[in-house]
Amino acid sequence: MYRSHTCGELNESHIETKVTLSGWVHKTRDKGFVVWVDLRDRYGITQLVFDEDRSSSKLLEQARNLGREFVVQIEGEVIERTSKNPNIPTGDIEVLVESLKVLNTSKTPPFTIENETDGGIDLRMKYRYLDIRRNPIKNNLIFRSKVTMEVRKYLAENGFIEVETPYLIKSTPEGARDFVVPSRMNEGQFYALPQSPQTFKQLLMVGGLDKYFQIVKCFRDEDLRADRQPEFTQIDCEMAFVEQEDILKVFEGLTKHLLKAIKGVEISSFPRITFDDAMRIYGNDKPDIRFGMEFGELNAVAQHKDFNVFNSSELVVGIAVPGAASYSRKEIDALVDWVKRPQIGAKGMVYVKCNEDGSFKSSVDKFYDQEDFQKWAEITGASSGDLIFVLSGEVTKTRTQLSALRMEMAERLGLRNPKEFAPLWVVDFPLLELDEETGNYHAMHHPFTSPKPGQLELLESDPGEVRANAYDLVLNGNEIGGGSIRIHDTEMQSTMFKHLGFTEEEAQAQFGFLMDAFQYGAPPHGGIAFGLDRLVAILGGQETIRDFIAFPKNNSGRDVMIDAPSPIDQNQLDELGLKLTV
C-alpha cells in the first residue's frame, strides 16, 4: 500500500494515527537539528518532520538528501504542529516520519512548482506535465472534469443518449479547412478529421434516436488565438420533433444547471435579441450585456453642420463611457491612438465631455453648439460626468471599431466582472452571407440550416434578406453555443445547395448520403453545440482556454512538448503513396 491517506486530508482528528503517505517533495527546510519537508500530491500538502531527538541519524541524513520533486513514500505518526499554518487544511498537524523510501529521484525542474511560478508560457508548455502539478492548472483540469460530469448528468436526466460518431470522415468544402488523413489502403484518397459531427447527428435523428449528445473532439485547420485551438471539444446535441423554442428551453436549462451546480449562481432571465439589433446596439453578434454603453446612432443630429468627416460618413455612432469626463487630454489622445491602431483601423475619434455643471466640452466645438451636444447625450444615454466617444465611416467597419472600443473601456473601468454571468440568446441570423470578393453567397452557419418559416421564397428574389432558424447562446460577450433547426427534406436541401453554388453532381458527391437518408422519413430536427473549452474557461472566470486543456497547442498550432507536427519516415510516405516537394 503506497498510502493510507492523501496529503490533503489529515487534521487534528488524526493525531496519534499511524499513516502512510506518498507524493512529491515540494520543498525542504534544514535547520540543522531538524528538517521539515513539505510533501505534495493532488490533494494538498502535509508537513513532515525529522529531528535529532526523535529520528535516527540515518533517517535525518535521508531527509537532507531529498531534492525538489523527488517521489517518496513515508510512514509515520500524525502529531500536533507547534507552529500552525492557518492557510492550508493540514496546517494544524505534521507527520513525525519513522521510515522514508525514495520511489524515484527527480532532476531539478526548469521552473518552480508553485502557484506563482518563474516559468514563462513557452517553457511551461514544453514541460506541461510539470505545469499540471501546479495548483492553478491542476485545479482547472479538476474544474473541467466537474463541468463535464454535470453536463452528462443534466442531459442523461433529460433523456439524451450519448453516441460516439466517427473521427475519420469525408472532407467537405464548407467551413474552415479540414485536417486530412491519407489512407494507406486506398492510395491517393483521404479522410478528414471532423470539424463537427453535424451530418452524423442528423443521421441519428433519421435513425430514431430523438435525443443525442456527445462530448466530442473536433478539428479545424485555421489560425489560432487565445480562445481557439486546432483541436477542441464540443458538447454536441441534437433533438427530433422540435421547434426552436423547444431547444432554447432545454439548453437554457443546461446553462442554469451548470451555473447553479458549479458556481452557486441562479439565473432567471435569458434575454433574446435579434442579430440585426445586436449589430446595431453593440456592434457585434456576441455582446457582453454585463454593462451598458449601448450605441447611439447620431446621423440625424450630427450631419447638419459643416463637419465634413461626419457628413460624408454612412454611419455616425457613439457610446457614453460612464464617469470618464475626468479623463485628461493626454488620456483621451492615447485612446484616439488606440482606435487608430491597425487592429482597430479607425481614422480618428471625436469626444464630448459631459461636465458636472451640465455644459459640454468637445474636440469639435467649432462645428457644433451646446444644443447639439445635448442631443448627442440624449441619444447615447450620457449623464453628467460621462464621456461620449464618436466614430464614423462605413457601417460595418465603424460598428466593429466602436464595439472594440466599448469592450476596451469596459475592461479599463472594471465592468467585466468574471463573477457575474449574463447569458443572452441571439436569434434570426442571416441565412446567407455575401462574399464580397467572389460575389457568391455562403452559409452563415452551415448548409443544413433551415430558413425561418415562410422565408424560403426569398431565396430566389432576395437571398441576403432570408433569416435563418438559428440561434447562438452568448455568455459574458463570448459565444458558448450555437445551433439551428435543420432542413429535413430533400427538396429544400437541394434548393439550399443550389443557392450555395453547388451543382447537382457536386451536391450528390459531397452530401448524397444525407440526401438519400432524407428520403426515408427524416423527422423535423434541430440541435446545438457548446464549445466546452470556452464554456469551462468562462465559468472558471477566464477567457483564455489554454489553461483548461491538459495538453494544448501553442499559437502556431504546435505541441512543443512532443514536438508535433513533425516529419514522418520516408517508408511511411511510400506506404501512403505520397511525395513531398519542398
Side-chain angles (χ1 to χ4, degrees):
M1 181 176 68
Y2 280 109
R3 57 187 179 186
S4 60
H5 297 77
T6 69
C7 294
E9 69 176 296
L10 298 177
N11 54 49
E12 286 182 306
S13 70
H14 295 94
I15 289 174
E16 297 184 356
T17 302
K18 298 286 187 179
V19 297
T20 303
L21 302 178
S22 293
W24 288 265
V25 173
H26 188 64
K27 63 176 62 171
T28 61
R29 298 179 297 284
D30 187 350
K31 296 298 184 182
F33 62 92
V34 62
V35 176
W36 288 284
V37 175
D38 286 346
L39 188 66
R40 185 192 70 244
D41 64 9
R42 165 190 150 188
Y43 305 93
I45 290 176
T46 295
Q47 179 170 285
L48 313 178
V49 62
F50 307 75
D51 65 39
E52 291 180 344
D53 294 334
R54 295 174 290 184
S55 305
S56 67
S57 57
K58 179 181 178 182
L59 191 58
L60 201 58
E61 189 62 24
Q62 276 186 287
R64 290 192 173 114
N65 288 328
L66 292 176
R68 283 169 48 202
E69 301 305 309
F70 275 33
V71 186
V72 302
Q73 179 190 42
I74 64 94
E75 294 179 353
E77 181 181 348
V78 180
I79 62 176
E80 186 173 4
R81 191 162 163 172
T82 304
S83 178
K84 298 186 177 182
N85 182 354
N87 298 318
I88 58 174
T90 60
D92 291 335
I93 59 91
E94 58 190 2
V95 176
L96 178 61
V97 178
E98 298 169 356
S99 70
L100 166 66
K101 181 179 181 181
V102 176
L103 301 175
N104 215 333
T105 60
S106 172
K107 294 169 63 176
T108 300
F111 54 87
T112 56
I113 312 298
E114 300 280 0
N115 291 356
E116 299 294 331
T117 183
D118 56 358
I121 181 61
D122 292 337
L123 185 64
R124 290 188 287 113
M125 290 276 279
K126 183 176 180 179
Y127 296 94
R128 184 64 166 184
Y129 45 87
L130 297 179
D131 203 23
I132 291 172
R133 294 182 190 173
R134 297 192 311 115
N135 282 333
I137 304 301
K138 175 199 73 178
N139 291 339
N140 284 348
L141 296 180
I142 294 171
F143 182 79
R144 180 187 177 111
S145 175
K146 184 178 179 182
V147 172
T148 58
M149 288 179 180
E150 290 296 337
V151 168
R152 282 193 164 95
K153 175 183 175 183
Y154 174 88
L155 292 173
E157 288 176 352
N158 281 271
F160 284 79
I161 300 168
E162 186 167 11
V163 182
E164 296 177 355
T165 54
Y167 277 170
L168 296 175
I169 66 169
K170 186 183 184 73
S171 182
T172 64
E174 281 293 312
R177 287 182 295 271
D178 288 328
F179 282 101
V180 294
V181 181
S183 170
R184 180 182 59 82
M185 292 182 291
N186 301 276
E187 188 172 319
Q189 297 184 321
F190 297 81
Y191 298 105
L193 299 179
Q195 296 184 32
S196 85
Q198 181 61 45
T199 54
F200 289 99
K201 65 180 180 179
Q202 291 190 249
L203 292 172
L204 288 171
M205 297 303 102
V206 177
L209 297 181
D210 65 342
K211 288 184 176 182
Y212 141 93
F213 87 97
Q214 183 180 189
I215 297 178
V216 59
K217 280 283 189 184
C218 301
F219 307 85
R220 291 179 186 169
D221 187 7
E222 59 186 358
D223 296 336
L224 306 181
R225 57 185 188 226
D227 62 345
R228 183 179 288 169
Q229 289 270 308
E231 54 179 312
F232 56 97
T233 307
Q234 284 187 180
I235 307 167
D236 199 58
C237 306
E238 198 80 3
M239 302 170 70
F241 302 110
V242 290
E243 296 176 337
Q244 176 176 298
E245 197 63 35
D246 300 307
I247 293 175
L248 268 54
K249 181 179 179 181
V250 169
F251 292 98
E252 276 188 21
L254 172 60
T255 309
K256 288 178 181 178
H257 173 77
L258 292 176
L259 287 169
K260 180 68 184 302
I262 302 296
K263 304 299 295 184
V265 173
E266 295 201 37
I267 299 288
S268 58
S269 174
F270 279 67
R272 299 181 189 183
I273 188 172
T274 66
F275 170 85
D276 289 341
D277 283 345
M279 297 303 294
R280 178 178 56 82
I281 298 171
Y282 300 104
N284 69 63
D285 59 359
K286 45 183 183 293
D288 191 336
I289 60 170
R290 285 174 293 179
F291 56 94
M293 286 194 276
E294 296 181 357
F295 289 12
E297 295 189 0
L298 303 172
N299 292 51
V301 296
Q303 291 184 321
H304 65 293
K305 295 294 178 73
D306 295 329
F307 188 49
N308 193 51
V309 172
F310 285 176
N311 292 343
S312 61
S313 296
E314 281 188 322
L315 177 67
V316 182
V317 62
I319 56 171
V321 182
S326 60
Y327 276 29
S328 67
R329 181 59 186 267
K330 182 179 179 180
E331 289 175 306
I332 293 173
D333 286 345
L335 284 165
V336 173
D337 291 338
W338 189 88
V339 299
K340 285 182 175 181
R341 296 179 311 146
Q343 301 94 314
I344 308 299
K347 293 181 179 179
M349 183 167 67
V350 167
Y351 73 86
V352 181
K353 286 188 175 185
C354 304
N355 298 321
E356 295 292 349
D357 63 4
S359 65
F360 300 94
K361 176 63 178 174
S362 173
S363 54
V364 289
D365 278 337
K366 64 180 180 179
F367 296 103
Y368 299 95
D369 57 31
Q370 295 289 299
E371 186 176 334
D372 292 320
F373 295 139
Q374 179 62 46
K375 292 176 182 176
W376 295 17
E378 291 170 1
I379 291 172
T380 58
S383 303
S384 296
D386 293 349
L387 180 61
I388 302 171
F389 284 133
V390 183
L391 298 180
S392 64
E394 186 270 324
V395 172
T396 301
K397 289 181 180 178
T398 303
R399 284 175 174 165
T400 301
Q401 292 160 1
L402 191 61
S403 176
L405 178 62
R406 175 180 180 266
M407 295 294 280
E408 176 67 14
M409 296 311 301
E411 198 71 49
R412 295 188 184 198
L413 295 171
L415 301 177
R416 304 191 69 204
N417 180 1
K419 295 181 180 180
E420 180 184 352
F421 298 94
L424 173 74
W425 286 108
V426 180
V427 298
D428 294 354
F429 286 83
L431 183 67
L432 305 174
E433 282 185 307
L434 183 65
D435 187 321
E436 294 182 0
E437 292 184 8
T438 65
N440 297 325
Y441 282 99
H442 61 87
M444 190 164 189
H445 284 77
H446 53 63
F448 316 110
T449 298
S450 173
K452 296 283 282 189
Q455 296 209 332
L456 182 61
E457 295 75 15
L458 284 175
L459 277 175
E460 297 291 347
S461 60
D462 196 356
E465 288 301 309
V466 181
R467 301 292 101 178
N469 209 344
Y471 33 83
D472 280 357
L473 182 56
V474 176
L475 184 62
N476 294 0
N478 294 271
E479 177 200 333
I480 60 166
S484 66
I485 300 298
R486 323 301 187 189
I487 297 170
H488 68 277
D489 70 81
T490 306
E491 184 177 344
M492 184 183 290
Q493 189 64 74
S494 297
T495 300
M496 176 62 73
F497 285 143
K498 182 182 76 172
H499 284 281
L500 292 173
F502 288 85
T503 65
E504 288 187 20
E505 292 75 18
E506 289 170 337
Q508 183 63 33
Q510 294 291 337
F511 304 108
F513 64 93
L514 185 65
M515 307 278 277
D516 290 344
F518 284 173
Q519 298 180 62
Y520 290 93
H525 60 281
I528 193 169
F530 285 73
L532 178 64
D533 309 301
R534 191 176 303 170
L535 173 62
V536 170
I538 294 169
L539 291 175
Q542 301 179 38
E543 293 190 9
T544 301
I545 66 175
R546 181 184 55 233
D547 285 344
F548 292 85
I549 298 173
F551 299 103
K553 307 293 189 288
N554 69 9
N555 288 342
S556 299
R558 295 195 63 83
D559 187 325
V560 295
M561 182 183 69
I562 63 172
D563 191 26
S566 60
I568 63 172
D569 186 85
Q570 185 62 47
N571 290 334
Q572 291 176 281
L573 290 172
D574 293 341
E575 284 184 334
L576 295 167
L578 297 177
K579 293 183 178 180
L580 291 183
T581 58
V582 179

